[in-house]
Amino acid sequence: MSDIAKIEIDGNSYEFPIYVGTENEKAIDVKKLRALTGGVTTIDPGYKNTGSCISEITFLNGEEGILRYRGYCIEELAEKADFLEVAYLLIFGELPTQEQLQKFENDIKDNAILDDDLRKILEAFPRKAHPMGVLASLTSALTAFNPSSVDASSEEAMYNAIVKIMGKLPVLVAWTMRKSKGLPLDYGNKKLGYIENLLQMMFKQPNEKYKVNPIIKNALDKLLILHADHEQNCSTSTVRIVGSSHAGLFASLSAGISALWGPLHGGANQAVLEMLAAIQEDGGDTAKYMAKAKDKNDPFRLMGFGHRVYKNFDPRAKIIKVAADEVLADLGVEDPILDIAKGLEREALKDDYFVSRKLYPNVDFYSGIIYRAMGIPTEMFTVMFALGRLPGWIAQWKEMRQNNEPIGRPRQIYIGKNIRPFVSIENR
Ligand code: CMC
């Protein structure tokens, strides 16, 4: 491939450099397109062909099913690292030493307390409110209680905002769930590790001691690692674009949480479980739902299938499928919904509709089955995804601010009415 792309417009030829990444990915650099051509722009709804930034954080090859954080394979990280180590890696670029990790963890713990007035905001929500809406609102409200968190002028100021949100978000996650169950709010125990404390804050009953089940702890650790970053997906791009206006970290994250909520993105984990439960209630007829998914007149989609970037197995789904089997067996849970999921997967993988469109199970297809076995309510699944994605969002926001990226502001092609005179109301 040449290192120059040539574009011809109205008989004039323009040359653009080809940008090459460290994994040999190539992009036509159109930064000067409008200036050189007198205003010609590109159109790419859904940004299917657009690289919005250059990034050192996550490498993803959708054709080959590869995912790496800072050069480390997701399979190895899921097996050998814990969530805080991976968070550190994503945010600061290298795996931490023991001392660095200890300091990071201590700083997070020291920042895990919420202003008690935030409780009042939480109390004002209806108990049945969707936890993603509650989480997005409370994350946004955090700025009001921590105004210094908008400061991104130095590494130190960023670090302070980062450990604050890493400490406070798990508390908000747990409180959101406890509120929906009518349980008193809890701060857990500072002596516990990040995941153990999260589980305690979520599940501890007021009248009994809570003992962390190591199977659940390890499975949750793995799930959070697998969700920790996924380069420029919808919510991450949202975080970067909101942050590019120099809105603070918490406001940017709140926008990311809202973006994640949708069923085509993180909300798919809830939608998958609801779909599997509906199929079970309907007698387990998977063929009927396969037919619905293929029927272009039916809006039904096989939730947990397909991905904008993966045109091969989602490597996260492979790991989660094995983990689902292990966790259910270890916990002694027999869930018929797992059999329905496996049946659907088997049928889809040999069905021409799915094969020809390269639709494979994605990260959300099996994760809900594990969350359910852990006793996490279905409406909380996407909240767990948000907690897992937090380090990725932070890393991407930090990179964007440190690279001094310009404000995100795409163009459009206007196809509305041309200029016309105003018609007064009596003549319309
Ligand atoms: N069931 C049935 N058909 C599908 C599905 C599906 N789940 N996904 C895609 N298709 C079809 C789609 O109808 C289209 O067919 P045709 O070419 O005949 O028009 C073709 O496959 C391409 O789909 P697309 O919607 O143009 O692809 P996209 O890249 O815009 O969308 C997606 C990707 C993930 C939104 C989509 O596959 C989908 O809606 N999947 C179900 C929701 C889901 O599981 N989302 C979680 C994604 S992974 C977690 C995350 O990181 O967000």
Side-chain angles (χ1 to χ4, degrees):
M1 197 191 221
S2 107
D3 52 1
I4 295 285
K6 290 189 182 135
I7 300 179
E8 233 178 77
I9 303 169
D10 296 336
N12 297 316
S13 180
Y14 306 94
E15 292 192 346
F16 299 92
I18 304 276
Y19 202 97
V20 186
T22 46
E23 291 286 343
N24 215 23
E25 294 169 296
K26 296 188 173 71
I28 305 168
D29 179 347
V30 292
K31 283 202 283 291
K32 298 216 169 101
L33 177 67
R34 288 178 52 79
L36 290 175
T37 59
V40 174
T41 193
T42 56
I43 183 119
D44 187 21
Y47 310 123
K48 292 190 177 196
N49 302 280
T50 297
S52 61
C53 60
I54 51 168
S55 178
E56 295 180 19
I57 302 168
T58 289
F59 173 67
L60 198 169
N61 180 326
E63 272 66 38
E64 293 178 32
I66 295 173
L67 175 62
R68 295 185 209 132
Y69 300 160
R70 303 276 188 188
Y72 295 101
C73 294
I74 190 69
E75 292 81 5
E76 220 182 341
L77 290 170
E79 199 191 318
K80 299 179 182 164
D82 71 24
F83 179 62
L84 274 197
E85 264 181 292
V86 170
Y88 189 100
L89 169 72
L90 283 166
I91 298 169
F92 302 108
E94 294 296 341
L95 284 168
T97 62
Q98 195 62 56
E99 295 76 51
Q100 286 169 329
L101 186 60
Q102 197 56 61
K103 179 177 177 341
F104 187 46
E105 188 170 359
N106 291 344
D107 292 340
I108 289 171
K109 283 181 179 172
D110 287 345
N111 280 284
I113 303 297
L114 299 171
D115 191 299
D116 216 44
D117 281 347
L118 229 114
R119 229 179 243 262
K120 294 185 192 144
I121 302 180
L122 176 64
E123 276 160 14
F125 280 96
R127 185 172 295 175
K128 283 199 157 39
H130 195 287
M132 281 298 275
V134 179
L135 188 73
S137 307
L138 295 180
T139 304
S140 176
L142 277 178
T143 309
F145 295 96
N146 302 273
S148 64
S149 67
V150 297
D151 185 4
S153 61
S154 66
E155 189 76 41
E156 190 193 350
M158 284 192 179
Y159 183 81
N160 290 337
I162 290 168
V163 288
K164 274 198 173 87
I165 193 68
M166 285 292 296
K168 294 179 199 310
L169 201 75
V171 185
L172 291 180
V173 164
W175 282 14
T176 310
M177 186 180 115
R178 292 183 83 86
K179 154 92 185 175
S180 72
K181 294 185 155 225
L183 286 167
L185 307 181
D186 193 72
Y187 273 111
N189 178 350
K190 206 177 173 185
K191 289 199 182 113
L192 295 176
Y194 197 77
I195 306 289
E196 286 102 323
N197 196 39
L198 169 68
L199 287 167
Q200 163 140 334
M201 286 191 291
M202 287 172 82
F203 292 116
K204 187 177 176 309
Q205 294 297 313
N207 57 353
E208 55 187 49
K209 257 189 131 179
Y210 179 78
K211 196 166 171 325
V212 176
N213 179 333
I215 299 165
I216 293 184
K217 187 226 138 198
N218 291 338
L220 185 55
D221 213 346
K222 193 175 278 197
L223 279 175
L224 296 185
I225 291 172
L226 293 174
H227 285 88
D229 195 47
H230 213 234
E231 50 115 307
Q232 307 313 317
N233 55 81
C234 178
S235 57
T236 303
S237 300
T238 301
V239 169
R240 281 185 91 121
I241 205 163
V242 172
S244 77
S245 74
H246 295 193
L249 174 60
F250 302 166
S252 309
L253 293 171
S254 165
I257 293 170
S258 296
L260 188 74
W261 188 358
L264 297 189
H265 191 11
N269 55 13
Q270 174 179 340
V272 168
L273 211 98
E274 287 167 351
M275 173 189 79
L276 295 173
I279 298 176
Q280 185 191 26
E281 241 173 62
D282 201 14
D285 185 358
T286 47
K288 176 175 161 189
Y289 287 85
M290 288 285 290
K292 271 168 77 63
K294 294 190 284 182
D295 180 356
K296 288 287 165 203
N297 297 316
D298 189 328
F300 176 79
R301 281 189 165 200
L302 204 55
M303 299 313 286
F305 261 78
H307 198 275
R308 167 61 60 79
V309 189
Y310 290 120
K311 302 303 166 198
N312 197 327
F313 246 95
D314 179 337
R316 303 166 299 174
K318 274 191 196 167
I319 303 172
I320 292 182
K321 184 181 175 184
V322 175
D325 271 329
E326 286 169 2
V327 172
L328 266 61
D330 287 349
L331 294 176
V333 174
E334 272 180 37
D335 192 343
I337 269 186
L338 180 61
D339 298 328
I340 294 177
K342 285 185 176 168
L344 268 181
E345 180 187 330
R346 255 194 318 273
E347 284 173 45
L349 291 180
K350 56 180 195 239
D351 187 292
D352 189 52
Y353 175 97
F354 287 88
V355 174
S356 62
R357 290 171 179 76
K358 299 190 173 154
L359 301 171
Y360 291 86
N362 59 49
V363 68
D364 290 325
F365 194 62
Y366 286 104
S367 62
I369 292 170
I370 309 185
Y371 288 137
R372 186 167 127 117
M374 291 174 176
I376 296 176
T378 312
E379 285 207 328
M380 282 294 293
F381 292 178
T382 316
V383 168
M384 302 314 290
F385 189 156
L387 184 65
R389 186 53 55 89
L390 177 64
W393 287 333
I394 295 173
Q396 302 271 352
W397 168 85
K398 182 167 171 277
E399 181 179 74
M400 180 273 305
R401 288 303 305 264
Q402 288 181 325
N403 286 352
N404 245 328
E405 278 176 24
I407 186 167
R409 204 300 185 189
R411 293 271 170 171
Q412 63 162 21
I413 298 298
Y414 175 72
I415 56 160
K417 296 272 190 287
N418 292 116
I419 188 166
R420 48 186 177 155
F422 179 77
V423 181
S424 59
I425 196 157
E426 61 276 11
N427 294 329
R428 280 173 221 159

